[in-house]
Amino acid sequence: MADYDPTATSNAVTLLQSMAHLPMKQLDEMFSHFVRDFRRRHGGEMAWNNYTAYEIRIVGALVHLGKRADALELLEFFLTDRRPRHWNQWPEISWKDPRSPGHLGDVPHTWIAAEYMLVFAALFAYEREVDDALIIGAGVDERWLMLRGGISVCGLPTWYGRLDLTLDRRPDGSVLVELGGGLRVPRGGFVLRPPAAAPSALSP
């Protein structure tokens, strides 16, 4: 169709780790264009009939691109648009009118669920193959750090072993980062990217 496909391109960014080989200006603009149209579509400014929740994988690409706010905005939408809500899942096709007599695909759709699990893990940590580094906290929401005690993740699988992670916003505005678990240090090290709503000093 000669159109752009950020849902497919997200695989190149995340699963295939090919971002270093892609034209960054065009890549950035493609995802920015998608986010603008996403807001217009779901804000009532653009006509639409349905979408596929495979778009969830775009959240992971946005995390890799450093677009934390956009990633969290899209993720919040998808989580509020689970169908049926109490099944905690998404059909292959979601219609604007939930009662549309149209194709839904598999329900529950485990492929989309798997995409969500990959995205969810990447919020806290993901591997960057080009320099053999582990990126920490690139998709963490500032609001989570404001909760009493911050957030903790235990036993998250990575290429370097299982990660135990704690992130907590301190009263002075700094972020306390604690890493543990059965990790070996990657050749490229740990790259810390917690939200920085206030000036922050990272403590090991």
Side-chain angles (χ1 to χ4, degrees), residues 111-191:
W111 187 349
I112 292 174
E115 299 282 1
Y116 169 70
M117 294 305 298
L118 291 171
V119 164
F120 184 76
L123 299 177
F124 304 99
Y126 68 86
E127 302 87 357
R128 190 169 63 194
E129 187 174 26
V130 67
D131 60 350
D132 195 26
L134 186 64
I135 316 301
I136 306 290
V140 170
D141 194 325
E142 170 65 22
R143 293 173 296 179
W144 305 344
L145 300 191
M146 301 306 294
L147 300 172
R148 185 175 180 180
I151 60 171
S152 294
V153 177
C154 296
L156 181 68
T158 77
W159 294 353
Y160 314 103
R162 292 189 176 271
L163 169 67
D164 293 344
L165 170 68
T166 298
L167 292 166
D168 189 18
R169 176 74 67 191
R170 312 304 287 177
D172 64 1
S174 64
V175 177
L176 175 65
V177 180
E178 296 180 318
L179 304 179
L183 284 174
R184 63 177 177 83
V185 178
R187 180 176 55 83
F190 301 112
V191 179

Side-chain angles (χ1 to χ4, degrees), residues 18-164:
S18 297
M19 191 162 63
H21 308 295
L22 299 173
M24 286 305 301
K25 180 180 178 182
Q26 289 85 346
L27 190 69
D28 182 81
E29 179 53 32
M30 181 186 65
F31 285 105
S32 295
H33 182 75
F34 173 84
V35 172
R36 287 194 300 269
D37 279 356
F38 181 92
R39 289 170 179 153
R40 292 178 60 207
R41 188 168 71 227
H42 297 291
E45 300 177 32
M46 179 185 290
W48 64 285
N49 291 319
N50 58 42
Y51 74 91
T52 174
Y54 282 120
E55 292 177 1
I56 286 174
R57 71 171 68 129
I58 294 173
V59 175
L62 292 171
V63 171
H64 280 243
L65 286 164
K67 297 176 179 287
R68 184 195 314 268
D70 291 343
L72 291 171
E73 178 184 346
L74 265 63
L75 182 60
E76 186 169 350
F77 168 81
F78 289 122
L79 287 172
T80 59
D81 202 42
R82 287 166 286 166
R83 303 183 187 188
R85 180 67 180 271
H86 295 297
W87 286 24
N88 289 325
Q89 66 96 56
W90 297 268
E92 186 175 10
I93 303 296
S94 296
W95 294 82
K96 182 178 182 180
D97 177 1
R99 298 186 65 81
S100 293
H103 173 68
L104 294 178
D106 301 329
V107 179
H109 199 78
T110 52
W111 187 349
I112 292 174
E115 299 282 1
Y116 169 70
M117 294 305 298
L118 291 171
V119 164
F120 184 76
L123 299 177
F124 304 99
Y126 68 86
E127 302 87 357
R128 190 169 63 194
E129 187 174 26
V130 67
D131 60 350
D132 195 26
L134 186 64
I135 316 301
I136 306 290
V140 170
D141 194 325
E142 170 65 22
R143 293 173 296 179
W144 305 344
L145 300 191
M146 301 306 294
L147 300 172
R148 185 175 180 180
I151 60 171
S152 294
V153 177
C154 296
L156 181 68
T158 77
W159 294 353
Y160 314 103
R162 292 189 176 271
L163 169 67
D164 293 344

